[in-house]
């Protein structure tokens, strides 16, 4: 009888310890989540300076005259990083550079290069960079279909552009700058992928496949160069309100799940050097967590149905416009 109550007491005590640890862990999780959500709004001075100190004072961002790339460049400039802006349109580049310089008192350099030209664009970057030591390379440039389509409907030129921008540019820009980063023993590469990489995505088949390439490429690259002191980040945004999603009104409205590019970049830059793989945005992290609980075949099916819906809407809308 006595021993029975002893065991009951011991078990109750053990139970209390487990509950206490569970609550402590949950509280820690909640505090971490609050810290993560608020962090981008309170950038301590030492954190501002730390990116430049850790990686170097110059960053190069591809596709930086609009959307995520422009916002990311501005966020880096806010932290005192000088920026090399690379896009295809010189006038937009000049305007963006002026805006960044006047807001954040940093230096900028512009390079007009059209990544759809493949190796020619990489040669232009190499010629024009003029020995600037690139500490942070952000491979952001990318293209999607005009709207969800079956493979044979996508214009051939668009497919080449998507492959050249999403795969070719990221690969060859890494090849161009990684050696000198390795020699300096410091540097960061951010490869911008997409939630589309998580499963095959019908009606955006090639776009999703290029992003799966980025995931594989980036993770293997980290294995090759991580021990040389380089940060190689794989960034996977879900929907962000930019002109890339102009095929759907739903994704052209800013919401909790669809941030604008500025809000997205504010969070994404805050993850640099802290997370090797990140969605870059708190609500995208939640989306990613729940998405990955579903089997891949089911996700592909849901994605395909979603794209069929968007396609119908798009075709309907453009017919209406034509009428
Ligand atoms: N938006 C999203 O929901 C979303 C979601 C997941 C992943 N992503 C990824 O995030 C990245 C940025 O997307 P975004 O939505 O910010 O795109 P965006 O708003 O369309 O901006 C693309 C940027 O790239 C430039 N660009 C386009 N074609 C180019 C070319 N041939 N050569 C050089 N520069 C070129 C554009 O310049 P112009 O102004 O001259 O066009 C613009 O500055 C992409 O890799 C995309 O796949 C986006």
């Amino acid at each position: 009888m006595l021993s029975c109550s002893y065991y009951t007491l011991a078990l109750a005590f053990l139970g209390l310890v487990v509950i206490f640890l569970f609550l402590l862990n949950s509280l820690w999780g909640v505090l971490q989540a609050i810290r993560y959500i608020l962090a981008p709004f309170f950038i301590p001075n030492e954190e501002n300076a730390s990116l430049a100190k850790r990686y170097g004072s110059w960053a190069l961002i591809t596709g930086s005259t609009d959307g995520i790339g422009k916002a990311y460049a501005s966020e880096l400039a806010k932290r005192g990083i000088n920026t090399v802006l690379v896009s295809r349109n010189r006038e937009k580049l000049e305007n963006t550079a002026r805006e960044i310089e006047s807001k954040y008192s940093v230096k900028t350099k512009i390079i007009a290069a059209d990544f759809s030209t493949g190796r020619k664009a990489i040669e232009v970057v190499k010629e024009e960079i003029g020995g600037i030591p690139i500490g942070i390379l952000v491979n952001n440039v990318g293209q999607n279909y005009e709207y969800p389509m079956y493979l044979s409907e996508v214009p051939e030129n668009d497919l080449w552009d998507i492959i050249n921008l999403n795969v070719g540019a990221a690969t060859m820009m890494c090849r161009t700058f990684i050696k000198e980063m390795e020699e300096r023993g410091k540097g960061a590469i951010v490869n911008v992928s997409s939630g589309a990489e998580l499963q095959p995505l019908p009606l955006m088949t090639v776009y999703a496949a290029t992003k799966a390439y980025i995931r594989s490429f980036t993770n293997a690259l980290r294995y090759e160069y991580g021990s040389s002191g380089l940060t190689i980040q794989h960034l996977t945004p879900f929907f962000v309100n930019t002109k890339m999603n102009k095929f759907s009104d739903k994704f052209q409205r800013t919401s909790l799940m669809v941030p604008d590019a500025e809000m997205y970049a504010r969070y994404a830059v805050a993850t640099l050097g802290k997370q090797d793989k990140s969605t870059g945005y708190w609500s995208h992290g939640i989306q990613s967590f729940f998405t990955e609980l579903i089997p891949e075949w089911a996700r592909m099916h849901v994605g395909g149905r979603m794209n069929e819906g968007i396609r119908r809407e798009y075709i309907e809308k453009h017919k209406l416009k034509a009428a």
Side-chain angles (χ1 to χ4, degrees), residues 142-154:
Q143 188 177 317
N144 195 354
Y145 294 7
E146 189 189 337
Y147 66 96
M149 281 181 249
Y150 291 86
L151 185 66
S152 61
E153 298 171 329
V154 189

Side-chain angles (χ1 to χ4, degrees), residues 62-70 86-89 92 113-117 139-144 165-166 192-196 207 211 236-245 261:
T62 64
S64 40
T65 47
D66 229 320
I68 295 172
K70 180 179 176 186
V86 189
S87 264
R88 62 188 156 176
N89 183 314
K92 283 174 83 173
D114 182 344
F115 287 106
S116 69
T117 61
N139 286 308
N140 163 78
V141 75
Q143 188 177 317
N144 195 354
L165 264 66
N166 300 11
V192 182
S193 181
S194 159
Y207 176 73
K211 295 303 185 178
T236 51
F238 279 54
F239 284 109
V240 179
N241 181 357
T242 69
K243 71 177 165 56
M244 181 175 277
N245 299 324

